[in-house]
Amino acid sequence: MQLSEYPTAIAKLQAEVFDFDLVIEQTHATVKQIEAEIDGTIAFDAALRNDAQRKAKRQQLLDEHPNYWEQQEILSQYRSKRESCFIQLCLKRNEFSVLKLEKREAIARLELQANQ
């Protein structure tokens, strides 16, 4: 990859990381909404008399919810993909920095040779 191609590649990876962040935020909001609905149901259930019963009922309702675990899995997958993309972004940034340093070194050597 040429030095001039790195800024575009870095920007593309930054956009991908941002897109993953958005999807993660949306999925997390969905998970929180499901949890809030379940917590609301539990709060108004007079049959639940203590914290242990409420915790058990909450877990039962989460386990029975058709989308909760699916959303958790999606969230996990997107977090993993985001992390992988972020690692690629860091790698590109580091490669770009090294390449710039190598170019500067080459220029410095040429200047040194010209002054001798």
Side-chain angles (χ1 to χ4, degrees), residues 4-31:
S4 62
E5 297 170 328
Y6 276 90
T8 302
I10 289 169
K12 181 181 176 212
L13 287 168
Q14 284 175 323
E16 286 181 40
V17 169
F18 179 74
D19 290 343
F20 281 124
D21 285 341
L22 286 178
V23 173
I24 288 168
E25 185 177 320
Q26 292 168 347
T27 307
H28 190 259
T30 301
V31 168

Short mmCIF file of all heavy atoms in Angstrom, two decimals, residues 4-31:
data_model
loop_
_atom_site.label_atom_id
_atom_site.label_comp_id
_atom_site.label_asym_id
_atom_site.label_seq_id
_atom_site.Cartn_x
_atom_site.Cartn_y
_atom_site.Cartn_z
N SER A 4 0.09 7.39 0.20
CA SER A 4 -1.09 8.22 -0.09
C SER A 4 -2.41 7.46 0.07
O SER A 4 -3.47 8.08 0.17
CB SER A 4 -1.00 8.79 -1.50
OG SER A 4 -0.97 7.73 -2.45
N GLU A 5 -2.37 6.15 0.10
CA GLU A 5 -3.59 5.34 0.22
C GLU A 5 -4.01 5.13 1.68
O GLU A 5 -5.16 4.76 1.95
CB GLU A 5 -3.40 3.98 -0.45
CG GLU A 5 -3.16 4.09 -1.94
CD GLU A 5 -2.74 2.77 -2.58
OE1 GLU A 5 -2.06 1.97 -1.90
OE2 GLU A 5 -3.10 2.56 -3.74
N TYR A 6 -3.10 5.35 2.60
CA TYR A 6 -3.40 5.09 4.01
C TYR A 6 -4.51 5.96 4.60
O TYR A 6 -5.38 5.44 5.31
CB TYR A 6 -2.12 5.19 4.86
CG TYR A 6 -1.34 3.91 4.86
CD1 TYR A 6 -0.37 3.66 3.91
CD2 TYR A 6 -1.58 2.93 5.81
CE1 TYR A 6 0.33 2.48 3.89
CE2 TYR A 6 -0.88 1.74 5.82
CZ TYR A 6 0.08 1.51 4.85
OH TYR A 6 0.77 0.33 4.85
N PRO A 7 -4.54 7.27 4.35
CA PRO A 7 -5.62 8.08 4.94
C PRO A 7 -7.02 7.58 4.56
O PRO A 7 -7.92 7.52 5.39
CB PRO A 7 -5.35 9.48 4.42
CG PRO A 7 -3.88 9.52 4.20
CD PRO A 7 -3.54 8.14 3.69
N THR A 8 -7.19 7.18 3.31
CA THR A 8 -8.49 6.67 2.87
C THR A 8 -8.82 5.35 3.56
O THR A 8 -9.96 5.14 4.02
CB THR A 8 -8.51 6.48 1.34
OG1 THR A 8 -8.21 7.74 0.71
CG2 THR A 8 -9.85 5.99 0.85
N ALA A 9 -7.84 4.47 3.64
CA ALA A 9 -8.06 3.17 4.30
C ALA A 9 -8.37 3.36 5.78
O ALA A 9 -9.26 2.69 6.33
CB ALA A 9 -6.83 2.28 4.12
N ILE A 10 -7.67 4.28 6.41
CA ILE A 10 -7.90 4.56 7.83
C ILE A 10 -9.30 5.15 8.03
O ILE A 10 -10.04 4.74 8.93
CB ILE A 10 -6.80 5.50 8.38
CG1 ILE A 10 -5.48 4.73 8.48
CG2 ILE A 10 -7.19 6.08 9.73
CD1 ILE A 10 -4.26 5.59 8.76
N ALA A 11 -9.69 6.07 7.17
CA ALA A 11 -11.02 6.68 7.28
C ALA A 11 -12.12 5.63 7.08
O ALA A 11 -13.14 5.65 7.78
CB ALA A 11 -11.17 7.80 6.26
N LYS A 12 -11.90 4.72 6.15
CA LYS A 12 -12.88 3.65 5.91
C LYS A 12 -13.04 2.78 7.15
O LYS A 12 -14.16 2.45 7.55
CB LYS A 12 -12.46 2.81 4.72
CG LYS A 12 -13.42 1.71 4.37
CD LYS A 12 -12.94 0.87 3.20
CE LYS A 12 -13.92 -0.27 2.99
NZ LYS A 12 -13.31 -1.46 2.49
N LEU A 13 -11.93 2.42 7.77
CA LEU A 13 -11.99 1.60 8.98
C LEU A 13 -12.63 2.37 10.14
O LEU A 13 -13.39 1.79 10.93
CB LEU A 13 -10.60 1.11 9.37
CG LEU A 13 -10.04 0.00 8.47
CD1 LEU A 13 -8.55 -0.21 8.75
CD2 LEU A 13 -10.81 -1.29 8.66
N GLN A 14 -12.35 3.67 10.24
CA GLN A 14 -12.99 4.48 11.28
C GLN A 14 -14.50 4.51 11.08
O GLN A 14 -15.26 4.44 12.04
CB GLN A 14 -12.43 5.90 11.26
CG GLN A 14 -11.06 6.02 11.87
CD GLN A 14 -10.47 7.42 11.73
OE1 GLN A 14 -10.66 8.09 10.72
NE2 GLN A 14 -9.75 7.84 12.75
N ALA A 15 -14.94 4.61 9.84
CA ALA A 15 -16.37 4.61 9.54
C ALA A 15 -17.00 3.27 9.91
O ALA A 15 -18.12 3.23 10.45
CB ALA A 15 -16.61 4.92 8.06
N GLU A 16 -16.29 2.18 9.66
CA GLU A 16 -16.80 0.86 10.02
C GLU A 16 -16.94 0.72 11.53
O GLU A 16 -17.94 0.20 12.03
CB GLU A 16 -15.88 -0.24 9.48
CG GLU A 16 -16.00 -0.45 7.99
CD GLU A 16 -15.09 -1.56 7.49
OE1 GLU A 16 -14.96 -2.60 8.18
OE2 GLU A 16 -14.49 -1.39 6.41
N VAL A 17 -15.94 1.19 12.26
CA VAL A 17 -16.00 1.15 13.72
C VAL A 17 -17.19 1.97 14.21
O VAL A 17 -17.94 1.53 15.09
CB VAL A 17 -14.68 1.64 14.36
CG1 VAL A 17 -14.84 1.87 15.85
CG2 VAL A 17 -13.56 0.65 14.09
N PHE A 18 -17.39 3.14 13.63
CA PHE A 18 -18.52 3.99 14.00
C PHE A 18 -19.85 3.29 13.72
O PHE A 18 -20.77 3.32 14.54
CB PHE A 18 -18.45 5.32 13.25
CG PHE A 18 -19.59 6.24 13.56
CD1 PHE A 18 -19.64 6.91 14.78
CD2 PHE A 18 -20.61 6.43 12.65
CE1 PHE A 18 -20.70 7.75 15.08
CE2 PHE A 18 -21.67 7.28 12.94
CZ PHE A 18 -21.72 7.94 14.16
N ASP A 19 -19.94 2.64 12.55
CA ASP A 19 -21.17 1.91 12.21
C ASP A 19 -21.44 0.79 13.22
O ASP A 19 -22.58 0.58 13.63
CB ASP A 19 -21.08 1.33 10.80
CG ASP A 19 -21.14 2.41 9.72
OD1 ASP A 19 -21.56 3.55 10.02
OD2 ASP A 19 -20.74 2.11 8.57
N PHE A 20 -20.39 0.07 13.60
CA PHE A 20 -20.55 -0.97 14.61
C PHE A 20 -21.00 -0.37 15.94
O PHE A 20 -21.85 -0.94 16.63
CB PHE A 20 -19.26 -1.78 14.80
CG PHE A 20 -19.03 -2.82 13.74
CD1 PHE A 20 -17.86 -2.82 13.00
CD2 PHE A 20 -19.97 -3.80 13.49
CE1 PHE A 20 -17.64 -3.78 12.03
CE2 PHE A 20 -19.75 -4.77 12.53
CZ PHE A 20 -18.59 -4.76 11.78
N ASP A 21 -20.44 0.77 16.29
CA ASP A 21 -20.85 1.44 17.54
C ASP A 21 -22.34 1.76 17.52
O ASP A 21 -23.03 1.59 18.53
CB ASP A 21 -20.03 2.71 17.77
CG ASP A 21 -18.61 2.44 18.22
OD1 ASP A 21 -18.34 1.33 18.71
OD2 ASP A 21 -17.77 3.35 18.09
N LEU A 22 -22.83 2.23 16.38
CA LEU A 22 -24.26 2.55 16.27
C LEU A 22 -25.13 1.32 16.44
O LEU A 22 -26.12 1.33 17.16
CB LEU A 22 -24.54 3.22 14.92
CG LEU A 22 -24.09 4.65 14.75
CD1 LEU A 22 -24.40 5.15 13.33
CD2 LEU A 22 -24.74 5.55 15.77
N VAL A 23 -24.75 0.24 15.76
CA VAL A 23 -25.53 -1.00 15.84
C VAL A 23 -25.48 -1.56 17.26
O VAL A 23 -26.50 -2.02 17.79
CB VAL A 23 -25.02 -2.04 14.82
CG1 VAL A 23 -25.71 -3.39 15.02
CG2 VAL A 23 -25.25 -1.55 13.40
N ILE A 24 -24.32 -1.49 17.88
CA ILE A 24 -24.19 -1.96 19.26
C ILE A 24 -25.08 -1.14 20.18
O ILE A 24 -25.77 -1.69 21.04
CB ILE A 24 -22.71 -1.92 19.71
CG1 ILE A 24 -21.92 -3.02 19.01
CG2 ILE A 24 -22.58 -2.02 21.23
CD1 ILE A 24 -20.41 -2.89 19.14
N GLU A 25 -25.08 0.17 20.00
CA GLU A 25 -25.91 1.05 20.83
C GLU A 25 -27.39 0.74 20.64
O GLU A 25 -28.14 0.66 21.62
CB GLU A 25 -25.62 2.51 20.46
CG GLU A 25 -26.32 3.51 21.33
CD GLU A 25 -25.95 4.94 20.98
OE1 GLU A 25 -24.76 5.20 20.69
OE2 GLU A 25 -26.85 5.78 20.96
N GLN A 26 -27.81 0.53 19.40
CA GLN A 26 -29.22 0.21 19.12
C GLN A 26 -29.61 -1.14 19.72
O GLN A 26 -30.68 -1.27 20.31
CB GLN A 26 -29.47 0.21 17.62
CG GLN A 26 -29.38 1.57 16.98
CD GLN A 26 -29.34 1.52 15.47
OE1 GLN A 26 -29.15 0.46 14.87
NE2 GLN A 26 -29.50 2.68 14.84
N THR A 27 -28.75 -2.13 19.57
CA THR A 27 -29.04 -3.46 20.10
C THR A 27 -29.07 -3.43 21.62
O THR A 27 -29.93 -4.05 22.25
CB THR A 27 -28.00 -4.48 19.59
OG1 THR A 27 -27.93 -4.42 18.16
CG2 THR A 27 -28.36 -5.89 20.01
N HIS A 28 -28.14 -2.69 22.21
CA HIS A 28 -28.10 -2.56 23.67
C HIS A 28 -29.38 -1.89 24.17
O HIS A 28 -29.93 -2.27 25.21
CB HIS A 28 -26.87 -1.78 24.11
CG HIS A 28 -26.63 -1.80 25.56
ND1 HIS A 28 -26.95 -0.75 26.37
CD2 HIS A 28 -26.13 -2.76 26.38
CE1 HIS A 28 -26.66 -1.05 27.62
NE2 HIS A 28 -26.15 -2.27 27.65
N ALA A 29 -29.86 -0.89 23.43
CA ALA A 29 -31.11 -0.22 23.80
C ALA A 29 -32.28 -1.19 23.74
O ALA A 29 -33.17 -1.16 24.61
CB ALA A 29 -31.35 0.97 22.89
N THR A 30 -32.28 -2.07 22.76
CA THR A 30 -33.34 -3.08 22.65
C THR A 30 -33.30 -4.02 23.84
O THR A 30 -34.34 -4.34 24.43
CB THR A 30 -33.19 -3.87 21.34
OG1 THR A 30 -33.26 -2.97 20.23
CG2 THR A 30 -34.28 -4.93 21.20
N VAL A 31 -32.10 -4.46 24.22
CA VAL A 31 -31.95 -5.35 25.38
C VAL A 31 -32.44 -4.64 26.64
O VAL A 31 -33.18 -5.22 27.45
CB VAL A 31 -30.47 -5.79 25.53
CG1 VAL A 31 -30.22 -6.45 26.88
CG2 VAL A 31 -30.08 -6.73 24.40
#
